[in-house]
């Protein structure tokens, strides 16, 4: 990660970066799942599969993460009189998140489900930004709190990352991100730049909550075609997938349906969170579904990391090979 993290120890600095990276991945996954539901509703195709996948993810990932934060991080931050009201508000937001998940689960119509899903996405993004920019720095700078110790063993906060005695993301985290055990930022780049797939974009971009995820990954499970979609909380544009070019790698004879896959324009994602966002989006791709990635260069390091993280899971098909844009279809 290229931004500077102030902390009382290197271990706490790495702990902040690991949590921020996981938050970014969660936001990428949530963005893809929500867009899948919204696109299904807009296109008039069956939305039950997209609806269920989103509900299941919120109950198995999002809510346990919130509970772990309340148990592990929030009590320490609440002891600071300057942060007490903020922590109380964050706990109240967790309650609203839980209510939105219930409303999403029990929605009587797909339109109402999509409305609850969008509300959940917006609230989670703003909530995550406050955690990244206020709660985590507060704990990292506190001489009375070892953030690395607080997070040790709490997989719900790190998405499977584990902290060693040195406070690094550990071997488990390195396996997930594709970086070295001490890799900065936990985003999988392994180069300390917090993305590794950039095109010379200015470094130092702050960890942000926005993503450029768009599209109905889950809708592919219904067997109905859904048009490629655009837009995200970050306002990043989406582009139709290009015609398949030579270099087709999966041997299936071509992805004629690439134009129906959701598109993630990684060129519009801040450099510091690019890989984590891509990983989160790929986490949201259902078996039999896919997504198109637009990159500013040939993302060979990213492909190696994806293969290490999900061995044999994704087929990759080059749709466009530069000079300004590389388009790749990932099929699960």
């Amino acid at each position: 990660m290229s931004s500077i993290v102030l902390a009382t120890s290197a271990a706490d600095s790495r702990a902040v970066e690991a949590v921020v990276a996981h938050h970014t991945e969660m936001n990428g996954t949530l963005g893809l799942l929500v867009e899948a539901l919204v696109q299904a509703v807009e296109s008039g195709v069956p939305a039950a599969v997209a609806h269920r996948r989103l509900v299941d993810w919120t109950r198995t990932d999002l809510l346990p993460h919130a509970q772990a934060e309340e148990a592990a991080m929030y009590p320490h931050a609440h002891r600071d009189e300057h942060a007490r009201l903020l922590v109380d508000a964050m706990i109240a937001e967790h309650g609203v998140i839980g209510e939105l998940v219930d409303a999403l689960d029990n929605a009587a119509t797909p339109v109402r489900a999509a409305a609850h899903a969008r509300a959940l996405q917006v609230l989670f993004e703003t909530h995550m930004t406050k955690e990244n920019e206020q709660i985590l720095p507060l704990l990292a700078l506190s001489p009375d709190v070892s953030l690395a110790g607080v997070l040790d063993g709490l997989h719900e906060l790190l998405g499977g990352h584990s902290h060693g005695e040195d406070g690094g993301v550990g071997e488990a985290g390195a396996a997930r991100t594709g970086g070295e055990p001490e890799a900065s930022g936990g985003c999988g780049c392994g180069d300390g730049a917090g993305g590794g797939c950039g095109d010379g974009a200015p470094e130092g971009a702050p960890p942000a909550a926005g993503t450029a995820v768009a599209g109905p990954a889950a809708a592919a499970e219904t067997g109905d075609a859904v048009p490629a979609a655009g837009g995200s909380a970050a306002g990043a544009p989406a582009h139709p997938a290009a015609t398949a070019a030579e270099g087709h790698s999966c041997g299936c004879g071509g992805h004629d349906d690439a134009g129906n896959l959701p598109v993630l324009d990684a060129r519009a994602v801040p450099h510091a969170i690019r890989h984590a966002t891509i990983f989160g989006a790929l986490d949201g791709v259902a078996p039999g579904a896919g997504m198109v990635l637009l990159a500013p260069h040939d993302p060979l390091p990213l492909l190696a990391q994806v293969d290490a993280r999900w061995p044999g899971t994704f087929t990759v098909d080059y749709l466009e090979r530069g000079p300004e844009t590389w388009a790749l279809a990932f099929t699960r």
Side-chain angles (χ1 to χ4, degrees):
M1 185 172 296
S2 54
S3 57
I4 297 175
V5 178
L6 299 179
T8 56
S9 69
D12 280 2
S13 177
R14 289 191 292 270
V16 170
E17 292 179 339
V19 175
V20 169
H22 180 52
H23 281 167
T24 304
E25 291 187 23
M26 291 182 69
N27 201 48
T29 304
L30 179 60
L32 190 71
L33 295 175
V34 170
E35 195 65 28
L37 175 58
V38 171
Q39 285 292 314
V41 173
E42 289 180 338
S43 303
V45 302
V49 173
H51 184 193
R52 179 44 50 191
R53 289 194 67 235
L54 175 57
V55 170
D56 289 347
W57 181 83
T58 59
R59 294 205 181 278
T60 59
D61 288 75
L62 181 59
L63 294 184
H65 181 87
Q67 293 166 358
E69 287 174 338
E70 286 193 27
M73 292 198 310
Y74 286 8
H76 296 282
H78 198 267
R79 296 190 185 105
D80 188 320
E81 61 180 353
H82 301 292
R84 198 160 295 153
L85 292 178
L86 172 62
V87 174
D88 289 341
M90 299 290 277
I91 293 174
E93 286 183 359
H94 279 177
V96 176
I97 288 173
E99 291 172 0
L100 283 172
V101 169
D102 288 338
L104 171 67
D105 195 359
N106 299 318
T109 66
V111 171
R112 290 188 177 274
H116 294 313
R118 279 297 190 207
L120 176 64
Q121 182 183 14
V122 171
L123 177 56
F124 177 72
E125 184 169 346
T126 58
H127 183 84
M128 180 183 66
T129 300
K130 286 183 283 189
E131 285 179 346
N132 290 349
E133 297 180 0
Q134 298 181 61
I135 299 293
L136 287 172
L138 173 73
L139 294 176
L141 285 171
S142 172
D144 300 322
V145 179
S146 168
L147 185 58
V150 168
L151 300 181
D152 191 29
L154 289 175
H155 287 194
E156 294 85 354
L157 281 175
L158 298 176
H161 293 103
S162 62
H163 282 261
E165 293 179 359
D166 61 354
V169 296
E171 293 181 0
R176 276 181 55 86
T177 62
E180 296 298 326
E182 295 284 335
S184 175
C187 67
C189 62
D191 66 353
C197 62
D199 58 340
E203 295 186 1
T211 71
V213 172
E221 293 179 294
T222 67
D224 295 292
V226 180
S232 72
H239 304 268
T243 304
E246 61 180 83
H248 185 82
S249 61
C250 68
C252 67
H255 284 289
D256 295 332
D257 61 344
N260 295 325
L261 296 178
V263 177
L264 168 60
D265 189 349
R267 301 169 302 178
V269 179
H271 184 262
I273 62 170
R274 189 171 294 159
H275 274 203
T277 301
I278 295 169
F279 291 156
L282 289 172
D283 265 335
V285 174
M291 62 172 263
V292 171
L293 171 68
L294 301 183
H297 66 93
D298 194 353
L300 294 177
L302 172 73
L303 295 181
Q305 293 160 16
V306 169
D307 189 56
R309 182 167 177 164
W310 293 286
T313 299
F314 289 96
T315 11
V316 180
D317 188 23
Y318 276 82
L319 307 176
E320 184 178 347
R321 292 180 179 271
E324 295 182 357
T325 300
W326 275 254
L328 297 84
F330 289 78
T331 305
R332 193 162 196 152

